[in-house]
Every structure is written in structure tokens, then in C-alpha cells.
């Protein structure tokens, strides 16, 4: 119904059921939800219980983002909830098992952000291996005229790259790195029949045979610390780790220890275990590139994510289904 002129307001179309905003959202999405759907906002802190006592019964749809999500305890306070509409492809903050048990639809925003996240992953590979951010800091600090050239870095072209999670984003990263004549291998829960890339049965086997390990797997309990100390040790002192997925996939403490001990060459990270907190130890290292979770953060992609979020909400309000459902 986005872009369709309806005489009935969208709030009316919910037949008394309300839309609830959970967590911070893109400002223009918030504006639309308030103006056109009369959406409620879940308060933080002490007011929350009182709010849920007063409004929990009326909520039929939640709009949230991967940053916040809807856990089982919030779901339990929303007895008429029919849909969790998630802004973002990752939905690890929403309890999809609890949703499935109650027949609550969960949607995400796949495809529209694939290119931007893949672009950023390749940017991180190049920046980390070529030391671009570090060299830029070197210039800004006025060190060039004093110290001459910074240390030499590593060539990207032709390197062996292992991708954990060869889904939409992982495949788009592989496609781009083929342009750098990289040899691509991957690890997934299951081997992909017909894939042009070689399959490794486990993350350590994958890490053992590559120069760069790129994480593009989804977050959640199934992948928590999938890249643990053993995997990082297998990547080795010449190896680079790139993560554009979720911080939870990596044992961050082990990563820091191995980087500090020179047992890894470097890391490019867009995601962290406890965002927005980035450990001081990482911030002090010059061989890591640290980004504030900006994989999808372009005007075009965020607009497309917003449009798909509203399409999902509209579809749910119209017929009880969603356009891009996720399954546990
Ligand atoms: C967003 C993301 O920053 O889509 C995802 O899973 O991690 C990012 O695109 C995030 O979801 C917005 O909250």
C-alpha cells in the first residue's frame, strides 16, 4: 500500500490493532510510522511495564531493527502480536523460535543491502591488507616528512580468500574478489551443490588454507563463536580476519589476544561483540580497521530497506502475511 492513495488511514486499516515501534529506527521511518500508522513507541526503562499493561493487548505488529529486536519476554506481553517487521537483513535479536511457536510472522530486508555490504567488505579487505587507514593516520599526524615511508603492506590481488557464510552477501563478496583474481573457498552449514568455490567442512579447515577469512554468516546462537581461538590460530600470523556479519560470530577476546601476540596479521571489523562498545585494546592497534557497523549505511540502501520494511508492514496489515519472511 506504500504510495497508494487510500481514503482510509493506515491506522484505521488495523481495525483497532496498533503498530508498536521497538528501539531506535531510521528517522524518516519513524515519521511515517507515527504520521500514517499512528504507531506507539515502546518506552525504555521503568515506564515499560506500565506501558505494556496499558497497550500490550492492542499491539498486532512490531517494527524494530536488528539492533533491538523482540525477545520472548516482550513477545509474551503482546498477546495479539502477528508480525515482527525487522529493518535489516539480520534478525538475531528477535526470538524467531518463540515467534514460530505462536505463528507470529517475522520479516527482514534481504537483497536490497547485499551490494553495499559486499562493497564494504571488499573495502575492508583492501584497507586492512594495504594499511590505508593506518597510512592516512600517518600522513595526518605529520609523520611522512619526519619518518619517510610507512612499512610495506600486503598485496590483495591473487590472495586465497575463505568466506564463512556463502549466502547472498557472501556470494556478492566472492563475485567482487574474483575481479582481484582471488581464489575463493567457503564454509557453510551445508555444501552448496554446483558452487564454483571449494568447500571446507569446518571453519578451522577453511582458515588453515587461506590468507584472508571473511565472515558473512548470520548471527544468532547457531553461529556464536563459530570463529573461535582454534579457527583464528589456523588463520595464522600471516592471516587477516574481516567481519561484516555479527560480532557474536567471533571470540573477540581470543581475537584481541592473538592480534596482540602477533599471531594474526590484522583484522577489518564492521561489527563487534558489544556494540557500540569497541574494546580499548582494539582501538590501540594500528593493524586493525574499525568501523561503526556501517555495512548497509548508504542513502540508497537505507531508503530501500525502509521501503521494504513498510511493504512488509502493509502486506501484514492487508492480509496477515509478509513479503520477505524469515524462518527459524
Ligand atoms: C543494519 C545490519 O545496520 O541488516 C543488517 O542486519 O546489520 C545492518 O544493515 C541494522 O540492521 C540496522 O539496525
Amino acid at each position: 500500500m506504500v504510495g497508494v492513495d487510500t481514503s482510509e488511514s493506515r491506522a484505521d486499516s488495523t481495525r483497532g490493532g496498533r503498530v508498536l515501534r521497538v528501539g531506535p529506527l531510521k528517522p524518516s521511518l519513524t515519521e511515517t510510522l507515527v504520521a500514517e500508522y499512528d504507531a506507539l513507541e515502546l518506552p525504555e526503562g521503568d515506564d515499560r511495564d506500565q506501558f505494556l499493561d496499558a497497550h500490550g493487548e492492542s499491539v498486532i505488529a512490531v517494527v524494530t531493527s536488528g539492533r533491538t529486536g523482540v525477545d520472548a519476554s516482550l513477545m509474551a506481553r503482546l498477546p495479539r502480536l502477528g508480525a515482527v517487521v525487522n529493518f535489516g537483513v539480520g534478525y538475531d535479536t528477535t526470538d524467531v523460535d518463540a515467534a514460530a511457536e505462536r505463528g507470529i510472522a517475522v520479516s527482514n530486508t534481504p537483497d536490497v543491502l547485499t551490494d553495499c555490504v559486499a562493497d564494504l567488505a571488499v573495502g575492508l579487505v583492501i584497507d586492512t591488507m594495504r594499511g590505508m587507514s593506518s597510512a592516512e593516520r600517518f600522513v595526518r599526524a605529520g609523520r611522512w616528512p619526519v619518518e619517510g615511508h610507512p612499512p610495506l603492506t600486503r598485496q590483495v590481488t591473487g590472495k586465497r580468500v575463505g568466506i564463512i557464510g556463502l549466502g547472498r552477501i557472501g556470494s556478492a563478496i566472492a563475485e567482487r574478489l574474483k575481479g582481484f583474481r582471488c581464489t575463493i573457498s567457503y564454509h557453510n552449514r551445508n555444501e552448496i551443490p554446483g558452487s564454483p568455490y571449494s568447500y571446507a567442512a569446518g571453519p578451522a579447515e577453511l582458515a588453515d588454507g587461506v590468507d584472508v577469512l571473511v565472515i558473512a554468516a548470520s548471527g544468532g546462537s547457531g553461529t556464536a563463536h563459530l570463529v573461535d581461538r582454534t579457527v583464528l590460530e589456523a588463520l595464522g600470523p600471516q592471516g587477516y580476519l574481516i567481519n561484516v556479519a555479527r560480532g557474536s560470530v567471533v571470540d573477540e577476546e581470543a581475537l584481541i589476544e592473538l592480534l596482540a601476540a602477533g599471531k594474526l596479521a590484522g583484522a577489518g571489523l564492521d561489527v563487534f561483540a558489544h556494540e557500540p562498545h569497541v574494546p580499548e585494546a582494539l582501538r590501540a592497534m594500528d593493524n586493525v580497521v574499525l568501523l561503526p557497523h556501517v555495512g548497509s549505511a548508504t542513502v540508497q540502501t537505507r531508503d530501500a530497506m525502509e521501503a521494504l520494511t513498510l511493504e512488509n508492514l502493509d502486506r501484514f496489515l492487508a492480509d496477515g502475511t509478509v513479503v520477505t519472511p524469515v524462518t527459524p
Side-chain angles (χ1 to χ4, degrees), residues 16-328:
R18 302 296 298 271
V19 174
L20 177 68
R21 293 178 285 128
V22 175
L25 295 169
K26 187 172 184 271
S28 53
L29 176 58
T30 299
E31 265 171 44
T32 305
L33 291 171
V34 172
E36 298 187 27
Y37 299 79
D38 193 22
L40 298 163
E41 180 186 18
L42 181 68
E44 297 284 337
D46 295 345
D47 298 344
R48 181 174 281 216
D49 256 353
Q50 214 183 342
F51 172 91
L52 288 168
D53 287 343
H55 301 286
E57 294 267 348
S58 67
V59 173
I60 57 168
V62 161
V63 180
T64 187
S65 82
R67 268 167 75 181
T68 317
V70 180
D71 61 18
S73 64
L74 176 56
M75 245 174 247
R77 301 292 305 273
L78 307 172
R80 288 173 63 202
L81 185 66
V84 176
V85 176
N86 183 60
F87 177 94
V89 70
Y91 48 87
D92 46 306
T93 49
T94 287
D95 192 329
V96 286
D97 293 320
E101 267 170 37
R102 270 184 50 194
I104 297 168
V106 179
S107 66
N108 66 345
T109 59
D111 297 316
V112 292
L113 44 61
T114 299
D115 284 331
C116 270
V117 179
D119 290 352
L120 191 98
V122 173
L124 270 178
V125 172
I126 299 173
D127 191 345
T128 308
M129 295 185 75
R130 296 301 308 272
M132 288 166 69
S133 290
S134 160
E136 210 256 359
R137 286 192 292 274
F138 181 87
V139 171
R140 282 180 191 272
R143 293 171 61 190
W144 190 11
V146 182
E147 297 177 39
H149 282 290
L152 299 181
T153 61
R154 297 303 174 90
Q155 173 171 319
V156 174
T157 293
K159 286 290 178 294
R160 298 167 304 165
V161 178
I163 299 178
I164 297 199
L166 196 71
R168 297 178 182 91
I169 293 172
S171 302
I173 295 169
E175 200 53 46
R176 282 157 174 74
L177 288 173
K178 273 174 20 193
F180 289 81
R181 301 198 298 277
C182 290
T183 311
I184 311 290
S185 49
Y186 74 99
H187 169 70
N188 253 14
R189 258 172 309 184
N190 299 305
E191 187 169 357
I192 300 170
S195 169
Y197 312 122
S198 55
Y199 179 69
E205 288 92 320
L206 181 69
D208 194 36
V210 298
D211 306 297
V212 187
L213 188 65
V214 181
I215 304 173
S218 35
S221 54
T223 57
H225 285 201
L226 184 66
V227 175
D228 59 10
R229 183 180 296 272
T230 312
V231 176
L232 295 170
E233 280 173 350
L235 188 55
Q238 307 299 321
Y240 292 85
L241 180 77
I242 304 298
N243 191 2
V244 293
R246 286 291 182 266
S248 58
V249 183
V250 180
D251 180 345
E252 198 169 84
E253 275 180 31
L255 173 67
I256 291 168
E257 276 175 40
L258 293 174
L259 282 166
K263 292 181 177 171
L264 273 177
L269 308 171
D270 185 42
V271 288
F272 301 88
H274 306 289
E275 295 173 11
H277 172 71
V278 177
E280 173 53 34
L282 281 176
R283 288 190 277 137
M285 290 174 187
D286 209 34
N287 57 340
V288 298
V289 179
L290 306 170
L291 298 179
H293 200 148
V294 289
S296 68
T298 65
V299 172
Q300 292 83 353
T301 288
R302 287 288 167 85
D303 282 352
M305 290 164 69
E306 177 176 349
L308 185 50
T309 300
L310 290 171
E311 265 180 61
N312 273 300
L313 179 60
D314 284 341
R315 175 76 70 84
F316 172 73
L317 296 177
D319 68 10
T321 68
V322 290
V323 183
T324 45
V326 302
T327 44

